[in-house]
Amino acid sequence: MEEIVLEARHMKKIYNYRTENAFEALHDINIQVRKGEFIGIMGPSGAGKSTFINNISTIDQYTEGSVLIKGKEIRTMSSNEIGRFRFQNLGFIFQDFNLLNTHTLFENIALPLSLANVNKKEIEQRVNEIALRMKISSLLHKKPNECSGGQRQRAAICRALINNPEIIVADEPTGNLDSANSTELMNILQQLNKENGVTIVMVTHDPLITSYTSRLVFIKDGSIERELERGDMTQEEFFQKIVELNSEESREVLQK
Ligand code: ADP
C-alpha cells in the first residue's frame, strides 16, 4: 500500500480569527500526498497557495480540521516538538531564499544543525558534502549579498537538504531566478524526487515549472478546484495540459 506522508482533512484557515477582520482564506481542504509524489500548487494570486503551503508544513497554525505529517497530527504537538519534528522531516525553500546576510553561506547552511546541537565536526562534514553536491564549495566563506541569485538559491537548497528531509516544501522557489537557474533548480528537485524518493510540495505560477511535477493541484478562492495527475504523459504533454487549464481559468475570469 502506498504510504501517505502528508494529509489535510477539512483544513480551514481563518486569519484574524474571532475578530471583526476575520478572513477565511482556506475553506475545506482535503488532500493526501503519497510518499515520493512531486506536487505543484497553482492558482491565481490571492487564491490561498502560500496559506495552504504554510498550514500543511507547520509554519502556520490552521484554524480547523487536521493536518497529519507522517501520521502525526500537528495540532497535538508542543512548539518544542514541532521544532524537532521540522528538523527531522521537513526542508523549506522560499522565493527570497531567506538567508541571513550577516552570516556566511557556511553558517547559513549549518544553521538547522547548529540549532539541533549537532557537533562541530559533523556540521563541517555535512556542510562540505552538500556544498560539493550543489557546486558552491568555493563560496562557503562568502555572505549571501556577495553571491548571485542562483548561488544564493543553491545555498538555500543546501540548507533545506542538510537534515536529509523526507519532505521538501517550496514556495515559488524559482521566483527570483532567471530561466537557466530555474531549469537547473528544477533538475535538482527532480533528481531528489526520483533518486532519493523525497516528497516535494511546491507552489509556482509557472506552467513550465509545474510540468516537472507528478500532480498539479489548482487552488482557487481558498478551495482545491481541480487536480491533474501527470500519469503517463511526457513532460511536454503535461505542460500543454497545464497551459490549457490555466488559459481556461483566465478566460473564466475575463468573462465574469
Ligand atoms: P496566494 O499565495 O495564492 O497569492 P495567500 O495565501 O498569500 O495567496 O493569500 C490568500 C488570502 O489570504 C488573500 O486574500 C490574502 O490577502 C489573505 N491573507 C494572507 N495572509 C494574511 C494575513 N496574515 N492576514 C490576513 N489575511 C491574509
Side-chain angles (χ1 to χ4, degrees), residues 46-66:
K49 302 180 296 296
S50 293
T51 304
F52 171 81
I53 209 151
N54 291 343
N55 281 277
I56 56 155
S57 66
T58 75
I59 293 182
D60 199 358
Q61 182 71 264
Y62 44 96
T63 316
E64 283 177 25
S66 52

Side-chain angles (χ1 to χ4, degrees), residues 15-16 23 25 43-52 203:
Y15 285 113
N16 306 315
F23 177 75
S45 178
K49 302 180 296 296
S50 293
T51 304
F52 171 81
V203 170

